[in-house]
């Protein structure tokens, strides 16, 4: 019986261009996410010169900035960072929901990994826990996911020629 082929991203071939897009809202938390993401990239060998950091007001603005970065910078991966903290109105649902849905759509449409480091939490305490304290640093984790996906997709090769099929079926490539 043939062995089942298994592929996974590696961290010894992470050279490439990375763009970190940051929603500044709740910056006291988000700043730690940025530190974690940069730490992960640099400690795994990504050159500082290959890391761009773009700042927008909040999570709502992340998708547009990510889309423009994808077209103008054409990075190997994007790391989206932010902290959406539930308040006293339904606004949280809209900001968090639309941001995440748009980012996921963009990564499929542009065939480029967009790692999700956007916290969507119920309290400031939960945010702090996930920005470098007892629940890890979601910025670091998002950067790791970005590097892993860059490596895996390189192993798989491009999807040239498949986009048309997807377009014909109204799907994403
Ligand atoms: N409440 C949070 C926001 N709100 C701001 C929006 O993201 C947006 O900047 C504003 O509506 C103007 O368009 N953003 C976060 O990132 N986190 C929040 O908790
Ligand atoms: C995610 C939000 O927009 C939220 O933090 C805003 O707080 P509020 O719902 O109390 O206006």
């Amino acid at each position: 019986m043939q062995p089942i082929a298994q592929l996974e991203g590696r961290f010894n071939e992470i050279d490439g261009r990375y763009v970190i897009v940051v929603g500044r809202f709740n910056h006291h938390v988000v700043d730690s996410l940025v530190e974690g993401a940069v730490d992960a990239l640099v400690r795994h060998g990504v050159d500082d010169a290959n890391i761009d950091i773009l700042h927008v007001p909040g999570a709502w603005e992340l998708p547009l900035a990510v889309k423009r970065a994808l077209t103008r910078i054409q990075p190997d991966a994007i790391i989206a960072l932010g902290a959406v903290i539930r308040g006293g109105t339904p606004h949280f649902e809209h900001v968090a929901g639309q941001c995440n849905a748009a980012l996921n759509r963009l990564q499929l449409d542009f065939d480029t990994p967009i790692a999700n480091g956007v916290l969507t939490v119920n309290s400031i305490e939960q945010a702090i826990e996930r920005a470098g304290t007892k629940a890890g640093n979601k910025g670091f984790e998002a950067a790791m996911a970005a590097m892993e996906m860059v490596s895996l997709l390189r192993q798989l090769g491009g999807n040239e020629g498949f986009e048309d099929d997807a377009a014909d079926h109204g799907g994403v490539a």
Side-chain angles (χ1 to χ4, degrees):
M1 176 179 175
Q2 290 295 325
I4 299 170
Q6 295 189 46
L7 285 178
E8 63 182 356
R10 298 186 290 263
F11 295 98
N12 60 356
E13 50 182 11
I14 46 72
D15 60 303
R17 186 82 178 267
Y18 294 82
V19 176
I20 301 173
V21 187
V22 185
R24 188 182 306 110
F25 207 100
N26 295 315
H27 70 86
H28 60 294
V29 169
V30 174
D31 291 349
S32 297
L33 299 178
V34 176
E35 284 177 27
V38 171
D39 185 37
L41 294 174
V42 170
R43 282 168 63 186
H44 286 83
V46 177
D47 191 307
D48 283 350
N50 291 329
I51 303 172
D52 297 290
I53 305 179
L54 311 179
H55 299 268
V56 297
W60 182 262
E61 284 78 22
L62 284 172
L64 178 57
V66 165
K67 182 178 180 181
R68 189 61 60 87
L70 288 165
T71 55
R72 299 303 299 266
I73 302 173
Q74 298 182 355
D76 293 278
I78 296 244
I79 298 154
L81 302 177
V84 187
I85 303 176
R86 189 181 299 276
T89 72
H91 198 225
F92 168 89
E93 309 298 339
H94 301 294
V95 171
Q98 292 297 320
C99 173
N100 280 282
L103 292 177
N104 190 41
R105 175 75 192 198
L106 285 167
Q107 79 171 341
L108 297 174
D109 288 353
F110 282 80
D111 196 43
T112 301
I114 300 174
N116 190 342
V118 181
L119 303 182
T120 53
V121 294
N122 293 317
S123 68
I124 291 176
E125 292 76 17
Q126 285 184 344
I128 292 169
E129 288 172 356
R130 289 154 180 80
T133 61
K134 72 177 188 178
N137 186 309
K138 298 305 179 185
F140 188 99
E141 293 172 22
M144 294 298 288
M147 288 185 282
E148 182 171 347
M149 286 303 291
V150 167
S151 170
L152 175 64
L153 295 180
R154 282 179 180 162
Q155 294 175 60
L156 286 171
N159 70 346
E160 295 77 17
F162 291 92
E163 298 91 337
D164 296 344
D165 294 344
D168 293 345
H169 296 85
V172 293

